[in-house]
Amino acid sequence: MDQSEKAKAKVLITGATGFIGRRLVDALVAEGIPVRCLVRKSEVPFPPQVEVAQGDLLQRNSLIAPLRGIETAYYLVHAMAGERAGFERRDRQAAENFVAAAEMQGVKRVIYLGGLGQEGDQLSEHLASRLEVARILQSGAFQTTYLRAAVIIGAGGASFEMIRYLVERLPVMITPRWVSTRCQFIAVQDVIAYLVGCLKDERTAGRTYDIGGPELLSYREMMERFAEVEQKYIKIIPVPFLTPKLSSYWVWLITPVKPSISMPLIEGLGNEVICHDQEIRNILPIPLTGFEEAVRMALEEEARNSQSAPVKE
């Protein structure tokens, strides 16, 4: 089987209903690649050519059948979207269950999207859990491609939604010091291009890559430039006394992002998350999207989605 044929073998996507997963499903279908989606509820709609398999990563036996006949699987799940308490334990259990089932079914490759951050950086619980999941997957008998990203700019992404609602609802912001932390954002469409590209190029198998956009910005700069795109006025005043916990509830009051999601994200904002190598650019030299363009594309997508949404009576 040559490289192009391997790329057309059926792949499994975990987390297929999420921010990244649903876009990846569409991208692989557009490439003519057979897709099987692992879901907990079978009523989730997918394109007609997509196979749907029910399973729960916290129930090891339920993963055996969905992984049967799969050569490559995408691991795109994390427990942060549920209850805050114990998400690290759930992440660990899910990854261990997946590894055991994947080994049993002879999976050859796994492609995992995790977070940027170095082990010695006093990582937040969220970033440390993403790193632990990477280690568990890399311990498997299959080859793991580990892509590490920071803030992903795209419609429906939690980080994007936090920035958007803060900019749109607070013309004057008293903010924690984390607004000065530097971050190498990446547009969601570029993340998808890397995920698809790794499947199609076996040179990426078993490797770890940092993926990021073309600019390095602080969170303050991102909010200011977001405001420029929307032609809004904002003034940002950093103060030293807002803790991550207070910040997350402050964000919850202003935005629809739940504290169970915002708190782990905000705790991670104290860590500078930038790419330390550009090696993937030598293998997959995709054109990278600038910040303003990524924001415009995300806002346009949200506008399209709101127009197509059914009217509630």
Side-chain angles (χ1 to χ4, degrees):
M1 185 183 294
D2 63 26
Q3 191 162 297
S4 62
E5 288 175 323
K6 285 185 177 181
K8 293 294 178 73
K10 184 168 287 182
V11 302
L12 179 78
I13 301 178
T14 69
T17 61
F19 169 54
I20 298 295
R22 54 192 168 85
R23 290 173 165 85
L24 180 60
V25 170
D26 291 340
L28 293 178
V29 168
E31 292 273 348
I33 297 169
V35 173
R36 180 184 297 164
C37 293
L38 177 71
V39 299
R40 282 183 292 181
K41 297 181 180 179
S42 60
E43 64 266 22
V44 178
F46 286 104
Q49 59 269 61
V50 171
E51 181 185 349
V52 178
Q54 276 189 270
D56 186 339
L57 285 163
L58 296 179
Q59 303 292 329
R60 182 176 299 183
N61 289 340
S62 74
L63 305 177
I64 304 299
L67 282 162
R68 186 172 296 126
I70 294 296
E71 184 170 289
T72 301
Y74 285 93
Y75 196 89
L76 305 175
V77 296
H78 58 79
M80 193 175 68
E83 290 298 318
R84 160 79 186 200
F87 76 86
E88 308 101 311
R89 175 185 52 78
R90 294 193 301 276
D91 267 339
R92 184 183 310 115
Q93 182 182 347
E96 289 172 346
N97 287 344
F98 175 83
V99 168
E103 288 180 332
M104 186 179 299
Q105 294 292 22
V107 171
K108 299 291 191 299
R109 288 189 66 192
V110 169
I111 300 172
Y112 168 58
L113 178 63
L116 276 168
Q118 302 300 313
E119 196 164 2
D121 287 345
Q122 294 183 324
L123 295 178
S124 67
E125 291 177 354
H126 167 56
L127 290 177
S129 180
R130 307 315 296 139
L131 184 58
E132 182 184 20
V133 167
R135 287 202 208 95
I136 293 169
L137 295 175
Q138 288 169 330
S139 72
F142 42 77
Q143 290 184 296
T144 298
T145 301
Y146 176 21
L147 299 183
R148 296 154 30 97
V151 167
I152 299 175
I153 301 296
S159 298
F160 171 81
E161 296 299 333
M162 282 200 301
I163 294 172
R164 175 192 167 198
Y165 278 95
L166 289 172
V167 167
E168 291 180 349
R169 298 184 182 184
L170 285 182
V172 178
M173 276 185 258
I174 298 175
T175 61
R177 285 177 292 188
W178 53 251
V179 295
S180 299
T181 303
R182 294 191 307 165
C183 168
Q184 194 160 354
F185 76 92
I186 184 168
V188 68
Q189 61 268 23
D190 296 348
V191 174
I192 300 303
Y194 279 131
L195 287 168
V196 175
C198 285
L199 173 68
K200 297 168 74 175
D201 196 321
E202 287 204 356
R203 290 178 295 173
T204 63
R207 306 290 299 277
T208 297
Y209 299 104
D210 293 353
I211 59 173
E215 302 168 85
L216 208 58
L217 301 173
S218 69
Y219 292 96
R220 176 175 186 160
E221 288 171 325
M222 282 195 279
M223 288 190 283
E224 289 171 341
R225 288 169 67 170
F226 198 113
E228 288 176 11
V229 171
E230 292 203 298
Q231 298 183 325
K232 293 185 178 294
Y233 168 85
I234 62 166
K235 184 174 180 62
I236 297 172
I237 306 168
V239 295
F241 52 79
L242 277 175
T243 66
K245 185 172 183 178
L246 286 174
S247 297
S248 67
Y249 283 102
W250 168 68
V251 167
W252 180 58
L253 288 172
I254 305 302
T255 81
V257 182
K258 297 184 297 183
S260 63
I261 294 176
S262 64
M263 194 182 299
L265 287 175
I266 288 171
E267 286 174 352
L269 299 185
N271 298 105
E272 186 172 84
V273 280
I274 62 177
C275 297
H276 292 282
D277 73 73
Q278 302 290 334
E279 188 179 352
I280 197 168
R281 303 284 301 134
N282 298 324
I283 300 175
L284 302 173
I286 67 170
L288 295 173
T289 308
F291 183 77
E292 284 86 353
E293 182 61 19
V295 169
R296 288 190 192 96
M297 293 177 73
L299 292 172
E300 288 169 4
E301 182 183 344
E302 289 202 335
R304 290 194 302 272
N305 291 343
S306 64
Q307 290 172 0
S308 62
V311 177
K312 295 182 179 180
E313 296 182 0

